[in-house]
């Protein structure tokens, strides 16, 4: 977004002009950058720009997911491993995990929120 110095406005000047005027300008397409302590602090933009930014965010998320899917498809060897085989490889006893969950469930039965 290119910022025109005419679109910079201090918070105190914005207060003087009033919200209605600033909203009307933003809805007409003028983006206003609010300055607080000589630094950009916020932007007043029309709803059309926010809707566009939301669409861009959605497209960005879709592209990330598509890229991930393509990388996975390109690097997939087709080899699959069962849960039991993976657990054995890392020295995890699935029966022991199941017993731990049962013990935890038993100890929480008498508690109420």
């Amino acid at each position: 977004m290119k910022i025109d110095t005419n679109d910079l406005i201090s918070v105190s000047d914005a207060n003087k002009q009033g919200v209605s005027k600033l909203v009307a300008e933003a809805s007409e397409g003028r983006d206003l950058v609010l300055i607080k302590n000589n630094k950009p602090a916020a932007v007043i933009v029309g709803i059309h720009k926010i809707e566009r930014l939301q669409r861009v965010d959605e497209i960005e998320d879709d592209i990330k997911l598509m890229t991930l899917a393509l990388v996975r498809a390109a690097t997939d060897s087709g080899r699959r491993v069962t849960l039991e085989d993976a657990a054995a490889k890392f020295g995890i006893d699935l029966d022991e995990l199941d017993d731990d969950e049962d013990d935890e469930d038993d100890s929480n039965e008498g508690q109420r929120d």
Side-chain angles (χ1 to χ4, degrees):
M1 175 172 114
K2 292 183 180 180
I3 300 172
D4 185 341
T5 55
N6 292 324
D7 295 331
L8 299 175
I9 183 170
S10 69
V11 172
S12 55
D13 285 343
N15 281 329
K16 290 175 191 172
Q17 289 185 25
V19 172
S20 294
K21 181 179 180 200
L22 299 176
V23 169
E25 289 182 25
S27 65
E28 291 172 4
R30 182 176 180 207
D31 300 330
L32 300 167
V33 179
L34 297 176
I35 304 296
K36 184 175 182 179
N37 298 325
N38 294 320
K39 293 182 181 177
V43 179
I44 300 174
V45 296
I47 193 70
H48 63 281
K49 188 158 282 186
I50 294 299
E51 289 169 344
R52 181 177 179 275
L53 288 172
Q54 288 174 335
R55 285 193 307 272
V56 168
D57 281 347
E58 289 171 6
I59 291 168
E60 179 184 27
D61 290 342
D62 290 346
I63 290 171
K64 286 178 182 177
L65 289 172
M66 186 174 63
T67 302
L68 181 61
L70 287 171
V71 168
R72 286 183 178 172
T75 59
D76 185 8
S77 68
R79 183 170 171 253
R80 300 294 183 262
V81 178
T82 66
L83 175 62
E84 290 77 15
D85 289 343
K89 180 176 181 173
F90 293 103
I92 298 171
D93 183 351
L94 294 176
D95 292 331
E96 184 179 307
L97 288 177
D98 192 33
D99 290 343
D100 289 344
E101 284 181 8
D102 290 342
D103 292 344
E104 190 174 302
D105 290 342
D106 291 343
S107 66
N108 290 332
E109 279 184 14
Q111 297 178 358
R112 297 201 183 259
D113 292 328

